Amino acid sequence: MSLKENNGNEFKEEEERLNVQEVPFKKVFSSYRTEITGIIIRTAGYSQTEPGHIWGPGIRAYYLLHYVISGKGWYNVGKERYWLSEGDLFMSFPNEIIKYGADLECPWKYCWVGFLGLDIPYIMKQAGFTKKKHILHIPSDDIAETMINLYKSYGTQTKSYLYMISKLTHLFSIIIADSERNPPLPKGSDYLEKALAYMKTEYQSPITIDEIASFAGISSSHLYRLFMKEYSVPPLKYLTQFRIQSACNMLIENPSLPVSVIAYSAGFNDPLYFSRSFRKATGVSPSEYRKMNR
């Protein structure tokens, strides 16, 4: 099969023909190759379904992504049922029990691609799909065109397979770009994660709580409430505890370094304050702690 990609006009002409025809059809391929393990394409295709057509309940051994080109249908996963229409993507994860079906009056036309591989969990996370979030709504001719061109590029030669992989990665670049334009509202745990990441990266510098809060994108008072709720200590005390723990590790791992150097390396500019804080947290001085852990 030729690797030449259909241009936009060819795709639109085919879509117009299918829209006029609107008779049930199904075009699909199945494949399994093991030479490339990062991304493995298992199947792809597109179909105008019959009214009331149902698949499942059943499981797939791979990730399966559908895109609704037109019409309507429904998707069951777990205890949830989603009513879907044009522009909706619905994902199933390996070994999830799923069931989906076409509307009786306006059956959907959709395209799909099935895949797995070592790189897929990371790609799923970046695209915004999780086992608690199976649906995305992205009206885009590019998505349908890319998925149908992936199907049409099927071949047994390595160059055909690599071309299909390039189409799949392009598909996810479209999805990820949309999620970056429309990011979900962050949760408290997201703010905490950003604050902790900043602390653990910058703890050796004289950072302030205001700087940590600013990096996390919230006010200092909001940051305080989140830390009290999650850790029962204010952010400044958490930062001090983290610095003390880092100092403990450095005292053991670097037995010849002066305590003053350890203090500075752990983010304490004043060695006396460091010694007082260390004793308060551990019950012994830095020198005594080092001796006890030789």
Side-chain angles (χ1 to χ4, degrees), residues 51-238:
H53 170 268
I54 292 175
W55 189 93
I59 64 172
R60 307 282 191 176
Y62 46 83
Y63 298 84
L64 183 64
L65 178 64
H66 283 80
Y67 182 72
V68 183
I69 300 172
S70 63
K72 295 183 292 184
W74 50 267
Y75 177 47
N76 285 3
V77 56
K79 297 180 180 179
E80 302 293 333
R81 168 167 284 199
Y82 302 94
W83 299 95
L84 306 174
S85 57
E86 180 178 344
D88 285 328
L89 289 147
F90 60 104
M91 172 68 72
S92 67
F93 287 76
N95 301 316
E96 279 188 321
I97 299 175
I98 60 171
K99 183 177 181 180
Y100 50 91
D103 185 77
L104 291 172
E105 296 181 358
C106 186
W108 53 15
K109 175 166 60 185
Y110 52 41
C111 45
W112 68 88
V113 57
F115 48 87
L116 68 163
L118 298 177
D119 295 334
I120 297 303
Y122 174 78
I123 295 174
M124 290 295 97
K125 183 178 180 180
Q126 297 302 309
F129 287 112
T130 70
K131 289 191 174 182
K132 293 184 178 180
K133 186 177 181 182
H134 294 80
I135 311 299
L136 294 177
H137 180 71
I138 308 177
S140 170
D141 290 339
D142 289 341
I143 291 179
E145 181 178 359
T146 300
M147 294 176 76
I148 291 176
N149 282 335
L150 187 159
Y151 159 77
K152 290 183 175 181
S153 64
Y154 172 69
T156 58
Q157 295 183 339
T158 299
K159 60 182 181 180
S160 302
Y161 190 67
L162 291 175
Y163 188 73
M164 288 192 293
I165 291 176
S166 75
K167 284 298 175 185
L168 183 61
T169 56
H170 178 63
L171 168 65
F172 278 109
S173 75
I174 298 171
I175 296 171
I176 292 169
D178 183 85
S179 67
E180 290 175 346
R181 284 193 298 269
N182 302 285
L185 294 175
K187 302 176 182 178
S189 58
D190 298 326
Y191 294 128
L192 269 178
E193 187 176 334
K194 292 187 69 174
L196 292 173
Y198 187 80
M199 284 185 181
K200 293 176 181 180
T201 303
E202 303 294 333
Y203 74 95
Q204 294 178 300
S205 303
I207 57 176
T208 66
I209 299 305
D210 285 342
E211 290 172 349
I212 298 170
S214 177
F215 181 83
I218 55 177
S219 66
S220 298
S221 58
H222 190 179
L223 183 68
Y224 177 88
R225 290 192 297 272
L226 289 176
F227 268 82
M228 292 302 295
K229 180 180 179 180
E230 186 69 22
Y231 304 111
S232 300
V233 296
L236 182 58
K237 186 172 182 178
Y238 185 97

Side-chain angles (χ1 to χ4, degrees), residues 2-20:
S2 172
L3 297 182
K4 184 177 179 182
E5 182 177 347
N6 289 336
N7 60 37
N9 289 335
E10 290 174 334
F11 176 75
K12 290 179 180 178
E13 288 173 2
E14 179 166 1
E15 286 301 291
E16 289 173 359
R17 178 180 63 80
L18 295 176
N19 285 332
V20 172

